[in-house]
Amino acid sequence: QVQLVESGGGLVQAGNSLRLSCAASGRTLSKYRMGWFRQAPGKEREFVASIGWSDGNTYYADSVKGRFTISRDNAKNTVYLQMNNLKPEDTAVYYCAARPLDRANYDYWGQGTQVTVSS
């Protein structure tokens, strides 16, 4: 089992920044890939970014490339999502998730944190 707890959401104006945190605990985290997803009202959940615990390799959705940065602090077992130049369309509930490296799906999810960007 992996437990994930997100924090850092809030209300910001367009153009500003937020940093989300995901505190992870449980099994050997080096065997997981960590991801951030988001779900806006009335829309399906979508991938935002991911990072490997061991190699730090990152992937981003095209919609956030150049604005968002995913990182991890292995000593703190925490994954971050730095979000810059936020836009109203970034408004969503953001979820942290963990995927075992030998599986295709993200098996563990946090409770989510709300991000609201006003214009």
Side-chain angles (χ1 to χ4, degrees):
Q1 289 286 339
V2 175
Q3 292 79 42
L4 304 171
V5 179
E6 304 99 332
S7 62
L11 171 63
V12 296
Q13 289 187 329
N16 285 351
S17 300
L18 273 178
R19 188 177 79 159
L20 305 183
S21 299
C22 173
S25 61
R27 293 186 174 178
T28 305
L29 296 175
S30 61
K31 297 182 180 180
Y32 290 83
R33 185 165 189 87
M34 304 299 295
W36 284 98
F37 293 76
R38 66 186 182 186
Q39 187 167 21
K43 295 186 177 181
E44 293 187 355
R45 186 171 59 197
E46 65 175 0
F47 169 80
V48 175
S50 68
I51 188 168
W53 269 114
S54 295
D55 59 14
N57 193 22
T58 58
Y59 289 104
Y60 295 92
D62 288 342
S63 59
V64 306
K65 280 181 182 177
R67 299 188 299 122
F68 290 12
T69 302
I70 189 171
S71 63
R72 86 270 192 243
D73 185 329
N74 290 359
K76 296 182 178 180
N77 285 351
T78 300
V79 177
Y80 303 98
L81 185 68
Q82 177 67 43
M83 306 184 293
N84 297 330
N85 190 22
L86 283 161
K87 303 176 181 180
E89 51 264 42
D90 294 318
T91 295
V93 177
Y94 284 71
Y95 297 92
C96 177
R99 175 175 69 81
L101 294 179
D102 59 352
R103 297 186 184 180
N105 296 324
Y106 284 81
D107 286 347
Y108 303 100
W109 294 83
Q111 82 287 352
T113 185
Q114 176 71 46
V115 172
T116 303
V117 184
S118 63
S119 58

